[in-house]
Amino acid sequence: MIHRDIASIRNTISSWRADSKQVRIGLVPTMGALHEGHLSLVDEARRRCDRVVVSIFVNPTQFDSKTDLAAYPRTEAEDIALLAGADAVFIPSVEVMYPSGFSSQVQVRGLADRLEGVHRPGHFDGMATVVTKLFGISGADLAFFGEKDWQQLQIVRRLVADLDLPVGIVPCPTLREADGLALSSRNRRLSPEARAIAPRLHAIMQDCARALRAGDRADECLETARRALGTAGFTGIDYLVCADAETLAPSEPAKQEGRALRLLAAASLGSVRLIDNIVI
């Protein structure tokens, strides 16, 4: 069932609650251009919940570039056809989500100021605001997020904890192509030449993580990896860091015994910017 306004989706959810007070509702927030990674979130929501809501909304407030917003793929008809496993699909317009006079914003300081936050000013404010709205609109018991956007996942967890929102956040593993490239809606914008290079990001990160686990110095491992990315053909490396998995603060493995660490990267091939992260 397709819903395009807030009253409609709320009425449907209210009817589910009326039928059974024990119904568990899952939310999968997306910006459309769906791929197998998104569908794996829907599948996980289906396993854990009685009803599944998928939202499709290209959120303009989390784009720092009008060009990037315009270039973001929009494939609504194809997306709807893929969502047979959802009980409801919420596809609001910008006017529905941000009506005249809208003036509120959710900010998560600290976590949002690192990594992506440095290179995409305002991105996480827009994301946090729209996600908070979606939680309120859906009244979901569980919400499902992919680990590929690791920083986003940590920010959502923080805002839910800080604002005492009654929704559980379920992280889901990154899905990859056979050659290691993390699935992303942006991958369809890669030229054939860039697509051939793109898997090197994950491969080089794996090499770096292995060296870090072996006890090599972090600064040397990261510099070697940055040079390898440049040699492979990446035209810009915004960051490649070893960080605490929860706080995202840069960390030396030797000094973080007992703490989970993550290797996070953002690098570009032409106009397409790729992000990835792996466990150290």
Side-chain angles (χ1 to χ4, degrees), residues 81-256:
L82 291 171
L83 291 174
D87 297 288
V89 183
F90 181 45
I91 314 177
S93 65
V94 173
E95 292 72 25
V96 165
M97 294 300 280
Y98 301 115
S100 177
F102 188 92
S103 58
S104 299
Q105 188 178 71
V106 178
Q107 293 183 320
V108 181
R109 303 187 189 281
L111 281 172
D113 299 330
R114 304 178 184 276
L115 305 175
E116 290 293 291
V118 173
H119 298 278
R120 302 179 67 186
H123 166 71
F124 287 123
D125 295 344
M127 181 279 294
T129 300
V130 79
V131 164
T132 302
K133 281 180 66 71
L134 289 169
F135 290 164
I137 290 166
S138 68
D141 299 289
L142 297 175
F144 298 78
F145 290 84
E147 291 186 350
K148 186 182 82 71
D149 295 296
W150 185 261
Q151 186 173 9
Q152 172 180 275
L153 173 62
Q154 304 317 305
I155 290 171
V156 171
R157 283 171 158 166
R158 184 75 265 158
L159 78 85
V160 165
D162 287 353
L163 300 180
D164 299 307
L165 301 180
V167 56
I169 303 304
V170 181
C172 298
T174 301
L175 261 62
R176 300 182 181 277
E177 301 283 3
D179 57 12
L181 178 63
L183 296 185
S184 170
S185 299
R186 296 177 186 271
N187 290 352
R188 66 183 70 196
R189 293 173 49 199
L190 291 167
S191 68
E193 295 76 17
R195 177 62 185 82
I197 297 169
R200 292 292 299 149
L201 176 60
H202 182 56
I204 290 167
M205 290 177 70
Q206 286 182 309
D207 290 342
C208 182
R210 278 192 288 268
L212 288 167
R213 292 185 201 113
D216 293 356
R217 286 171 50 96
D219 55 350
E220 294 177 355
C221 295
L222 294 170
E223 182 55 32
T224 297
R226 291 187 190 100
R227 287 198 302 269
L229 288 170
T231 300
F234 286 87
T235 52
I237 304 165
D238 286 343
Y239 57 82
L240 175 66
V241 298
C242 172
D244 183 285
E246 181 179 350
T247 68
L248 305 179
S251 302
E252 281 273 0
K255 299 177 182 179
Q256 291 291 316

